Amino acid sequence: MLRSKRACLKGLLAVAACSLLNAARAVAAPAYPAKPIRLLVPFAPGGSTDALARILAKGLSARLGESVVVENRPGAGGNIAMGAAARAQPDGYTLLIVSSSLVINPGLYAAIPYDPIKSFAPITYLAAAPSLLIVNAREHAGSVGELVAEMKARPGAYNYSSPGIGTAQHLAGELFRLTTGVALAHIPYNGAGPSVAAVAAGDVQMGLASLPAALPLVQSGAVRALAITTRMRSPAAPDIPTFAEAGYAAVESDHLQGLLAPAGTPPAIVQQLSKATDAVLAQPETARQLVDLGFIVGGGTPEEFQREIARQLQKWPAIVRQAGVKVE
């Protein structure tokens, strides 16, 4: 009996010591964040993803009480920045803005320096980045259905522009081609500006272009927009119907923009960053700035963003293979 009491006492002392140790560790652990956070951007300054990153960095800096510093790491279709983030310490002090290249590149490149699921901890789905199907102002078709009918009546007579091979707009064009079964040639240009200008000049009959790049020419009448690629209309262009409304629901591409941390980042930090990001996105001024850039504002939990990444990984690499897209 005495031995049993002694054993019980030892167990209680061990539990108490462990609790004290954990409490001491909790007290000793510095509050997050305790130093500046770097936000990697896979593209050069000046583009829409970079602009989104800078808006987010400003909002998070104010909310977290530490500077969030944008660091541009362009190159290899986003692979350089994504690889750097995948190798970074999972301590919450390196974050990554991603675009659709996260889910497209696994099908586009023979090897990539990250695993889109295993290398990252999703934080928040930031925004959808719509693209527009635009046609030359002299094109007779006034709807997607009429355009498809004309292309089927004149097989091989139509081509479309994009900002380059492997871009989200290129793959949206291939999705349109595969869904409708039309004969449609891809003409890649070096960037969004030249791609849209080619449609306006009549060098190509149509194009897929980001909303910010295309909207000024739509508003001026130089080109005509027939549909938007997202599941909902854009607040920046509410009169342009979705492909689903035009009768082609399968042609859906939101060109995701999201915030990730390296895999292994403590869940408490991920949750703190997700809540802070949602709060930034909910600010009216932030929402206005993002809409002005052509985005549809997102938000939501890490788990919801994880499911969206998984959904798009099922979709885009398969489209890349089916379309035979290859980077040069």
Side-chain angles (χ1 to χ4, degrees):
M1 182 67 131
L2 184 59
R3 186 176 300 170
S4 176
K5 288 182 177 178
R6 285 176 178 169
C8 183
L9 181 59
K10 285 182 180 178
L12 290 171
L13 289 172
V15 169
C18 184
S19 298
L20 287 170
L21 180 60
N22 288 337
R25 284 175 176 167
V27 170
Y32 173 85
K35 61 181 182 180
I37 299 166
R38 65 173 182 158
L39 178 58
L40 300 183
V41 179
F43 307 106
S48 57
T49 300
D50 175 71
L52 168 61
R54 293 177 189 279
I55 292 168
L56 179 64
K58 181 179 179 181
L60 285 179
S61 296
R63 190 156 290 273
L64 296 173
E66 282 287 351
S67 296
V68 177
V69 182
V70 172
E71 183 178 319
N72 297 88
R73 292 278 195 96
N79 286 337
I80 291 175
M82 288 187 281
R87 296 187 299 270
Q89 287 294 320
D91 55 9
Y93 291 100
T94 298
L95 305 178
L96 171 71
I97 289 270
V98 290
S99 68
S100 289
S101 55
L102 173 74
V103 292
I104 289 173
N105 288 4
L108 199 59
Y109 291 86
I112 55 175
Y114 68 93
D115 183 295
I117 295 293
K118 297 178 181 178
S119 296
F120 303 112
I123 296 173
T124 303
Y125 181 104
L126 297 172
S131 286
L132 301 180
L133 172 64
I134 57 174
V135 296
N136 181 271
R138 294 182 295 277
E139 174 63 43
H140 296 299
S143 68
V144 178
E146 290 176 3
L147 179 64
V148 170
E150 288 191 12
M151 286 192 288
K152 288 186 174 180
R154 294 194 292 149
Y158 281 77
N159 48 37
Y160 77 96
S161 68
S162 85
I165 295 173
T167 60
Q169 289 75 30
H170 173 203
L171 295 185
E174 290 303 293
L175 178 59
F176 175 65
R177 179 180 67 82
L178 293 168
T179 299
T180 58
V182 297
L184 184 61
H186 174 230
I187 310 296
Y189 284 80
N190 186 24
S195 172
V196 174
V199 180
D203 297 332
V204 293
Q205 292 90 357
M206 54 185 284
L208 270 295
S210 67
L211 191 150
L215 193 56
L217 276 76
V218 172
Q219 293 170 335
S220 72
V223 300
R224 199 161 62 253
L226 300 186
I228 193 168
T229 60
T230 41
R231 282 169 276 186
M232 62 183 72
R233 295 193 183 198
S234 167
D239 295 332
I240 300 174
T242 66
F243 271 97
E245 291 172 325
Y248 298 88
V251 186
E252 181 266 315
S253 175
D254 67 5
H255 312 330
L256 70 84
Q257 307 279 311
L259 184 64
L260 303 175
T265 299
I269 290 178
V270 170
Q271 289 295 333
Q272 181 181 348
L273 287 168
S274 182
K275 290 178 181 178
T277 302
D278 267 357
V280 171
L281 295 176
Q283 293 174 341
E285 177 61 17
T286 301
R288 183 195 63 76
Q289 289 177 306
L290 295 185
V291 168
D292 287 347
L293 286 169
F295 292 115
I296 297 174
V297 181
T301 67
E303 293 75 20
E304 289 169 335
F305 187 24
Q306 180 69 76
R307 288 193 290 272
E308 181 61 20
I309 291 170
R311 183 186 77 85
Q312 296 208 26
L313 280 170
Q314 290 291 318
K315 176 179 181 177
W316 291 112
I319 291 170
V320 169
R321 290 191 295 271
Q322 190 176 356
V325 177
K326 296 186 182 299
V327 292
E328 296 178 353

